[in-house]
Amino acid sequence: MDAVTATCIVRELGRQPYEPVWRAMQRFTDARTEATADELWLVEHDPVFTLGQAGKPEHVLAAGDIPVINVDRGGQVTYHGPGQIVAYPLFDLKRLKVGVREYVCKIEQAMIDTLAEWNVHAERKDGAPGVYVAGAKIGALGIRVRRGYTFHGLAFNIAMDLEPFHRINPCGYQGLQVVSLADLGGPTGMDQVKPVLLTHMAEQFGLSLQREAALPDLSRAA
């Protein structure tokens, strides 16, 4: 485990629509300086499909009543909804001395180690970022790095309705199977998983976590 090198503020935002949180991440990243402490936001989003910068609209097969938002992260299309932990690391990679490729690997490893707590064996897949169990995707990544600062992040399926994934080609892959932790015998409560994920994120990046209140202006962040 890396030595602790920096404090990271953890904010639990609860359940939120997607766009206000996205805009708040952008503003935080634009305004931060070398002196700004890293933050890690945890949120559960209202149902939404997000299409990354490389995203092709044809991968949205039948959105139905779920909105589709074009966003400034990498990657293709994915789904966010209740029962999924979304974590947004707002990190200074230069300060952490971590490259982008290593950053992705560390996030994947934090999810892999979290799943191991419930005896679920997960792994990476070459050329397809994320975390997989027996070929089915349980954790997705979509990141953006600006001036060495990260935003966007990971989506971790805990106990959710997976039907909306059938309305898209997840991450641009036709027929990609998706699974959640509850389907594999794990907990159905998000609050059981969050502290484990936070512990492994802190271990991977050598961070000391400090909990603070949610952003006070999030409702006006759109």
Side-chain angles (χ1 to χ4, degrees), residues 19-219:
E19 188 155 0
V21 180
W22 170 34
R23 297 304 183 189
M25 278 193 292
Q26 290 177 318
R27 288 200 307 276
F28 177 90
T29 303
D30 288 343
R32 70 178 301 173
T33 69
E34 293 179 0
T36 304
D38 287 340
E39 299 200 6
L40 180 58
W41 298 356
L42 296 179
V43 63
E44 187 177 8
H45 282 308
D46 295 338
V48 64
F49 295 118
T50 64
L51 197 61
Q53 288 181 308
K56 297 179 179 179
E58 57 263 34
H59 289 309
V60 181
L61 307 176
D65 57 347
I66 298 176
V68 180
I69 300 179
N70 290 277
V71 299
D72 57 346
R73 60 163 173 79
Q76 291 280 342
V77 64
T78 194
Y79 169 71
H80 299 309
Q84 181 188 65
I85 296 174
V86 177
Y88 294 129
L90 306 173
F91 290 175
D92 181 342
L93 294 184
K94 292 174 288 187
R95 185 166 57 206
L96 294 174
K97 297 181 173 60
V98 173
V100 174
R101 187 184 183 95
E102 185 183 4
Y103 171 69
V104 169
C105 287
K106 284 179 176 291
I107 291 177
E108 291 171 336
Q109 193 61 49
M111 287 191 281
I112 289 169
D113 291 345
T114 298
L115 290 165
E117 300 275 350
W118 286 280
N119 299 311
V120 174
H121 174 72
E123 56 194 5
R124 298 177 178 85
K125 184 182 290 188
D126 288 343
V131 174
Y132 301 80
V133 177
K137 197 162 196 174
I138 194 168
L141 275 81
I143 68 168
R144 179 76 185 271
V145 181
R146 182 187 295 165
R147 297 182 296 122
Y149 303 129
T150 68
F151 59 114
H152 292 287
L154 67 95
F156 196 6
N157 304 337
I158 305 305
M160 63 188 304
D161 177 7
L162 299 176
E163 184 277 331
F165 285 102
H166 297 305
R167 307 188 197 183
I168 60 173
N169 290 329
C171 305
Y173 292 96
Q174 183 176 2
L176 177 66
Q177 296 300 303
V178 179
V179 71
S180 68
L181 180 55
D183 299 327
L184 301 171
T188 59
M190 307 269 281
D191 289 341
Q192 293 174 266
V193 185
K194 286 178 186 176
V196 180
L197 177 62
L198 286 171
T199 294
H200 289 299
M201 286 287 288
E203 288 176 348
Q204 286 299 316
F205 290 98
L207 297 170
S208 174
L209 302 182
Q210 173 183 316
R211 290 182 177 271
E212 292 198 7
L215 298 172
D217 64 342
L218 194 58
S219 63

